[in-house]
Amino acid sequence: EAGCPGNQPFFFLVMNGLWLAVSIHATFDSDRRMLMFSHVMIGTNDLEKSRLFYDAVLAVTGAKPGVVDRHRVFWRANGGTFSVSQPIDSQPATCSNGTTIGFNLASPEQVDQFHATAIAHGAVPVEDPPGWRGGPAGLYLCYFRDPDGHKICGLHRPPKA
């Protein structure tokens, strides 16, 4: 029977003549529903600058400092994984026009802190200042571009009444 640590199933992948064991891992919420995404990875041209930036910004979400794995850094919090990586094809990392990566936050105050921390660490604010969109029954949002130009959103969605 195939298995990895924790008895996770895996499969083999051949890449550039190397056999790799790839773990099949699913992320679940507190009700054991599988979440849509297991992780988000974005490119960077300056790994150390991105590590320092996201260590500060993601601390607001409760994430511990990122773990460096060669050309990547990983942060894990609240059942998800966020990562920055230098491209493995040796080409420069670029941003995607129209792409936004959103982080769930617990309160409007946490959104404000997320935004302020990002700006203090070199992010550029974009769109409207942090605030409600669609009134108090809507979403509390902030937007900024990280040091590599990726558009990041902090989002608080109030509980349904």
Side-chain angles (χ1 to χ4, degrees):
E1 177 179 313
C4 289
N7 205 25
Q8 290 285 341
F10 68 91
F11 63 93
F12 286 103
L13 174 69
V14 179
M15 181 183 270
N16 294 331
L18 298 174
W19 284 81
L20 304 172
V22 179
S23 173
I24 300 169
H25 177 77
T27 304
F28 298 89
D29 68 8
S30 61
D31 294 325
R32 298 296 299 158
R33 294 178 299 215
M34 188 166 33
L35 301 176
M36 180 179 283
F37 299 106
S38 69
H39 69 281
V40 173
M41 182 179 290
I42 60 175
T44 183
N45 292 306
D46 188 334
L47 196 63
E48 182 62 9
K49 185 175 182 179
S50 286
R51 184 190 65 77
L52 293 171
F53 177 81
Y54 281 109
D55 274 354
V57 172
L58 295 180
V60 174
T61 71
K64 302 284 188 243
V67 175
V68 178
D69 177 19
R70 298 166 302 183
H71 60 279
R72 302 174 294 201
V73 184
F74 294 92
W75 294 265
R76 291 180 175 88
N78 306 318
T81 300
F82 180 75
S83 178
V84 297
S85 177
Q86 293 173 317
I88 61 174
D89 65 2
S90 301
Q91 299 298 311
T94 59
C95 302
S96 173
N97 187 23
T99 299
T100 302
I101 298 169
F103 288 87
N104 282 318
L105 299 169
S107 67
E109 295 78 19
Q110 191 178 32
V111 172
D112 291 340
Q113 182 183 6
F114 185 74
H115 188 262
T117 301
I119 302 309
H121 286 84
V124 175
V126 295
E127 297 195 16
D128 293 332
W132 289 103
R133 309 298 196 275
L139 304 172
Y140 194 91
L141 303 168
C142 73
Y143 291 95
F144 57 85
R145 290 205 178 265
D146 75 3
D148 283 296
H150 299 286
K151 188 175 180 184
I152 306 296
C153 172
L155 176 144
H156 169 68
R157 184 183 318 270
K160 292 183 180 183

